[in-house]
Amino acid sequence: MARVGFVGLGIMGAPMCANVLAKGHDVTVYNRSREKMAPLIAKGAEGASSVEELVRQSEIVITMLSDPTAVWEVIAETAGVLSSLGPGKTYIDMSTVSPESSREIAVRVHKTGADFLEAPVLGSRKPATEGNLIILAGGNPDVAKRMEPLLLTMGSKVVYVGEVGLAAHMKLIINQMMGTLLCVFSEAALTGMAAGIPAEKILDVIESSVVGCQAIRIKGKDMLGERAFAVHFPLKHALKDMRLAVLAGDAQGIPTPVTAAAYQLFSIAKERGYAEHDSSAVLRALTDK
Ligand code: NAP
């Protein structure tokens, strides 16, 4: 059993960390808002008073943070992750970040003599709680192999995508498709409802058709009905991912006009106050009703 340090106990990090703990690892936790550490400490984790302390007492350090800025703040500030990493330690970043950021992190981590793995995840709050995430690994294949048993405490499958940066890319592909799908579903379904087709009928026919899919199965009923937008994947993170996907397209010389339009809709929904709601609240960019 490994000594694992877990930083970032948000919607995803808290249940992921609980699963690592449940499999018998020695876990130390740290979170910027300290109150989120209490439920994990109650389950047997040790609470660290700083990131530096956490890294010092861990063999493997995992971060699950909002975005590239948050990751850099946690790793590169004085007394951050990098200051205490060294040979024999492994740092795994499971946040959704840009491929460039991940590659830069790898360079900085390797300079300390430690190993690095990027391991962004597919799946939201429920699979995170059930330990059913799909985990995308990018980096040295030997490190990925060595970390697989630990990753499988949080997920049901680990896919080795390739060198560092490629798992981050793969994760963006999924979120880019999910974000644009939510936008076009909102436009199409609202138009159909305005024309007089009942919401249930729209959902039923979509489900029976070639475009029926899990995303609409999970989010469609709420989007066309109650519109509670209970948060699983915060809209602010979907907005971040649409931006990263546009930048990834730019970096590869591939135009991303559809993603750019979706980015605008997510921005409007954020401006209308839906940043902390579920990403499905992008529908609010199109209607107040
Ligand atoms: P979240 O609930 O917003 O949690 C974000 C975490 O990052 C919190 O622990 C937060 O600390 C911490 N954080 C943010 N800025 C920070 C900073 N400057 N310094 C230190 N800590 C900071 O987000 P989440 O939904 O768990 O998502 C985490 C990551 O997983 C994101 O990259 C997201 O895109 C990705 N992801 C999310 C889902 C999903 O469905 N939710 C699915 C797959 C991947 P505080 O508690 O102090 O704010």
Side-chain angles (χ1 to χ4, degrees):
M1 289 293 146
R3 279 183 289 122
V4 178
F6 207 110
V7 185
L9 305 171
I11 292 173
M12 297 295 284
M16 288 163 66
C17 180
N19 283 327
V20 176
L21 193 57
K23 291 286 162 24
H25 293 285
D26 277 338
V27 179
T28 304
V29 293
Y30 179 83
N31 195 69
R32 179 180 61 179
S33 310
R34 306 298 169 89
E35 69 279 3
K36 291 188 189 168
M37 292 161 57
L40 275 307
I41 292 170
K43 287 179 178 158
E46 197 173 318
S49 57
S50 66
V51 171
E52 190 178 30
E53 182 187 313
L54 175 141
V55 179
R56 259 192 276 114
Q57 60 198 47
S58 307
E59 296 158 310
I60 302 169
V61 176
I62 298 176
T63 51
M64 188 55 168
L65 300 159
S66 306
D67 52 29
T69 310
V71 176
W72 278 106
E73 275 183 40
V74 166
I75 69 166
E77 280 191 353
T78 327
V81 171
L82 289 169
S83 66
S84 306
L85 277 180
K89 293 186 190 271
T90 303
Y91 168 43
I92 309 175
D93 182 27
M94 304 190 77
S95 325
T96 306
V97 299
S98 63
E100 295 73 29
S101 181
S102 205
R103 281 192 286 266
E104 276 175 51
I105 290 170
V107 170
R108 294 284 296 274
V109 171
H110 291 148
K111 275 186 187 158
T112 71
D115 290 322
F116 175 69
L117 194 69
E118 60 174 5
V121 306
L122 306 183
S124 199
R125 191 199 291 270
K126 190 164 178 276
T129 305
E130 293 168 351
N132 273 334
L133 294 165
I134 306 297
I135 300 174
L136 307 172
N140 180 322
D142 296 334
V143 176
K145 199 88 217 126
R146 191 156 47 78
M147 290 300 123
E148 195 169 304
L150 174 63
L151 295 176
L152 286 174
T153 64
M154 296 173 270
S156 52
K157 186 175 174 182
V158 177
V159 181
Y160 177 70
V161 186
E163 64 190 36
V164 73
L166 293 185
H169 254 300
M170 189 65 233
K171 169 63 189 169
L172 289 180
I173 292 173
I174 302 303
N175 282 26
Q176 181 174 11
M177 292 181 66
M178 177 72 177
T180 51
L181 173 70
L182 290 177
C183 291
V184 77
F185 169 70
S186 300
E187 283 181 3
L190 287 173
T191 305
M193 287 168 74
I197 311 173
E200 308 74 53
K201 184 91 41 186
I202 292 173
L203 291 169
D204 188 35
V205 175
I206 289 176
E207 175 64 18
S208 318
S209 78
V210 69
V211 295
C213 65
Q214 207 182 347
I216 294 173
R217 215 167 292 138
I218 293 170
K219 296 182 189 279
K221 191 160 179 267
D222 180 67
M223 289 172 77
L224 303 193
E226 198 184 338
R227 297 183 186 160
F229 306 119
V231 67
H232 292 269
F233 179 48
L235 186 135
K236 63 181 176 187
H237 294 336
L239 174 65
K240 172 254 307 183
D241 292 343
M242 301 310 280
R243 185 177 149 269
L244 294 181
V246 170
L247 292 175
D250 282 352
Q252 300 304 324
I254 305 292
T256 51
V258 175
T259 314
Y263 173 77
Q264 294 303 330
L265 291 193
F266 279 98
S267 303
I268 294 167
K270 182 186 172 202
E271 277 159 30
R272 293 188 176 174
Y274 291 94
E276 305 296 333
H277 288 69
D278 191 65
S279 58
S280 51
V282 71
L283 177 137
R284 284 287 181 225
L286 306 170
T287 181
D288 294 332
K289 285 192 225 138

